[in-house]
Amino acid sequence: MSFLKRHKPLRRYTPLRRKTPLRRTRKSPTMPSNPEDLKRLSLIELEDIAWTYFSIYIRKRDRISGDYAKCITCPMILHWRQMDAGHCVTRQCRPLKFHELNNHAQCPTDNRTKYGMFKEYIAKIRELYGDDIADQFLRYKKACPVKIFTRGELIELIYKYKSLREEP
């Protein structure tokens, strides 16, 4: 008892404040300088590199004039670097992840905030490519088969879309 009376209770001079968590963004993967290093990368790293080049190709493909592209689901026109490569059927459906008819330039608001605006997107797919492709995408949306990309397929995609990206 005597010990407790002699010492002051511990008090904090500054109140506890929650710090906002730092948002960590992943660096965009880049192609290794030595092509032999592709064989040493994991499948996830290879898929990230393939997606980077594929996304650049899609956004450049959908340019309307100069460096500006139009969103597929709304009338917004932005520089192609500010656009996303939006999917009609989400990327979780692996066979359609790198499908060129399933991906188009889409503004970040529609793609991220409004979750891709599927109804408008599928209507635009029907208008552009016909009912057959749209119905095929709807079937994939309901029951998507399992697809695991092999190392060879990913390396092939990387080289294909890297070469297409560099064309004017």
Side-chain angles (χ1 to χ4, degrees), residues 144-168:
C144 184
V146 176
K147 166 76 173 158
I148 298 173
F149 291 104
T150 63
R151 184 174 300 279
E153 288 174 332
L154 290 171
I155 290 173
E156 187 178 313
L157 284 170
I158 289 170
Y159 283 120
K160 174 183 177 184
Y161 290 111
K162 185 177 183 210
S163 66
L164 289 174
R165 174 195 73 135
E166 293 167 353
E167 292 178 3

Side-chain angles (χ1 to χ4, degrees), residues 92-106:
Q92 283 78 22
C93 184
R94 310 288 288 177
L96 296 180
K97 182 175 181 176
F98 294 105
H99 195 286
E100 292 183 18
L101 300 182
N102 186 42
N103 294 278
H104 294 85
Q106 195 173 25

Side-chain angles (χ1 to χ4, degrees), residues 6-72:
R6 276 188 272 154
H7 294 290
K8 294 181 183 179
L10 294 175
R11 290 191 180 163
R12 204 171 250 295
Y13 292 109
T14 57
L16 282 173
R17 290 194 183 117
R18 285 188 163 228
K19 293 182 179 178
T20 56
L22 295 175
R23 195 171 196 190
R24 295 183 186 213
T25 56
R26 289 183 11 197
K27 287 178 108 179
S28 179
T30 56
M31 180 84 162
S33 56
N34 185 1
E36 290 295 317
D37 291 341
L38 280 177
K39 295 176 183 174
R40 295 188 190 116
L41 296 176
S42 70
L43 288 176
I44 294 172
E45 291 170 325
L46 286 173
E47 197 166 329
D48 286 346
I49 293 171
W51 176 252
T52 300
Y53 289 124
F54 180 74
S55 172
I56 291 170
Y57 164 71
I58 291 295
R59 291 177 289 149
K60 280 187 169 184
R61 176 196 71 183
D62 291 347
R63 290 181 294 185
I64 52 174
S65 66
D67 286 339
Y68 292 91
K70 183 184 178 301
C71 177
I72 191 166

